[in-house]
Amino acid sequence: MNNRASVLLVEDEQHLHEALKLNLELEGYTVTSAYDGNDALKKITEAYFDLIIMDIMLPELDGISITENLRIHNNDVPVLMLSAKNSPADKVLGLRKGADDYLTKPFDLEELLIRVEKLIEKNKKIQVKEAVGDQYTFGDNIINFKAQDAITWNKQTIQLSKKEALLLKLLIENKGEVVTREKILQVVWGYNVYPTTRTIDNFILSFRKYFEKDSRNPRYFHSVRGVGYRFVSQ
Ligand code: CA
């Protein structure tokens, strides 16, 4: 598997947890473990995951509440819910509260692995938005992604760092939409890092300095408090 996908495994049954972890790792996934609800929530806020496998019945905080919490915070990580319950009502509740898929215990391991793969693939496809070419113009600014430089509205030619170019590209590809901090860290930094808002904020401040006529009243680069950033043009 190219570019190892990261999975958060939230399951309190020790044996099942270990068996799932081992099998996921054999498939090439990087697995982070959580054995109770609070631990799961903590890990979710600390790092980006490509998928969460979420048991429902957990100590401290149940899987449905965690998923609900994620969605309220605009975190759209795919969630595959696991449950010992098999009443249709629970399934509906789980899906309504934001799960993407659902498996009832006991389940077939092979089936779980296929669903995991499909959910991760599907999410990747959604994430790849309209591709931006080598050059992009907004206002009087021109960015050349290939050369990693830009000509700014006041006719300055500036060199961009690789991360600056990547972040600009990501924001521009998602023009008009909020790009979450988690996604930025995953795409630009490329691995599980512990997000600090300040790191990305500093990049955005630089972009405003380069590309905004009035950096205090940004026209193109907007922060959405507690969520992420949005590039707007026109
Ligand atoms: Ca359980």
Side-chain angles (χ1 to χ4, degrees):
M1 172 178 298
N2 54 7
N3 183 6
R4 289 159 68 96
S6 60
V7 174
L8 176 64
L9 175 59
V10 189
E11 170 58 72
D12 61 320
E13 277 169 54
Q14 188 89 26
H15 290 298
L16 178 60
H17 190 117
E18 280 167 17
L20 286 175
K21 186 172 196 285
L22 185 68
N23 278 280
L24 289 162
E25 285 173 348
L26 283 174
E27 292 292 315
Y29 300 109
T30 303
V31 181
T32 302
S33 292
Y35 287 89
D36 65 62
N38 285 340
D39 191 27
L41 213 48
K42 183 168 172 281
K43 286 185 167 135
I44 289 164
T45 55
E46 285 174 345
Y48 176 92
F49 296 100
D50 294 291
L51 174 82
I52 300 176
I53 299 177
M54 182 90 76
D55 185 28
I56 291 186
M57 301 292 280
L58 291 165
E60 293 174 19
L61 190 63
D62 68 274
I64 289 179
S65 302
I66 299 170
T67 307
E68 210 174 352
N69 184 293
L70 281 177
R71 300 312 185 218
I72 287 171
H73 289 93
N74 290 325
N75 185 335
D76 52 7
V77 56
V79 172
L80 170 58
M81 222 167 243
L82 301 181
S83 174
K85 299 177 175 182
N86 59 359
S87 79
D90 284 316
K91 187 167 176 168
V92 168
L93 183 64
L95 292 170
R96 187 176 290 150
K97 296 298 185 187
D100 298 272
D101 203 353
Y102 196 104
L103 270 177
T104 304
K105 295 177 193 171
F107 50 80
D108 179 52
L109 185 62
E110 203 62 32
E111 185 182 351
L112 175 118
L113 292 174
I114 289 169
R115 287 181 190 231
V116 164
E117 194 188 338
K118 286 202 161 163
L119 282 170
I120 291 174
E121 281 305 308
K122 189 172 138 202
N123 191 46
K124 277 193 180 143
K125 273 185 204 144
I126 293 170
Q127 286 185 10
V128 180
K129 304 284 280 200
E130 138 198 20
V132 173
D134 287 343
Q135 194 166 299
Y136 184 79
T137 304
F138 59 104
D140 294 324
N141 301 293
I142 305 166
I143 297 173
N144 190 329
F145 291 108
K146 212 167 185 180
Q148 258 175 247
D149 62 20
I151 301 167
T152 63
W153 59 274
N154 55 352
K155 304 285 176 244
Q156 305 268 342
T157 301
I158 54 163
Q159 205 60 45
L160 299 167
S161 72
K162 191 180 173 204
K163 283 192 167 58
E164 284 178 329
L166 276 171
L167 180 53
L168 281 169
K169 196 158 195 184
L170 178 68
L171 291 171
I172 290 167
E173 279 177 351
N174 291 280
K175 189 168 69 178
E177 287 175 30
V178 178
V179 182
T180 63
R181 282 202 300 273
E182 290 76 18
K183 183 152 165 196
I184 290 172
L185 286 160
Q186 183 219 16
V187 174
V188 178
W189 276 261
Y191 48 87
N192 257 344
V193 281
Y194 290 83
T196 69
T197 312
R198 180 156 297 191
T199 310
I200 306 172
D201 273 345
N202 286 336
F203 276 77
I204 301 294
L205 288 177
S206 301
F207 293 164
R208 287 183 186 148
K209 223 167 65 193
Y210 303 151
F211 304 121
E212 303 274 7
K213 284 183 182 158
D214 179 1
S215 59
R216 280 159 188 267
N217 293 297
R219 178 174 167 193
Y220 304 111
F221 296 93
H222 300 268
S223 305
V224 182
R225 193 178 290 269
V227 185
Y229 305 87
R230 177 168 50 212
F231 173 79
V232 178
S233 153
Q234 263 92 62

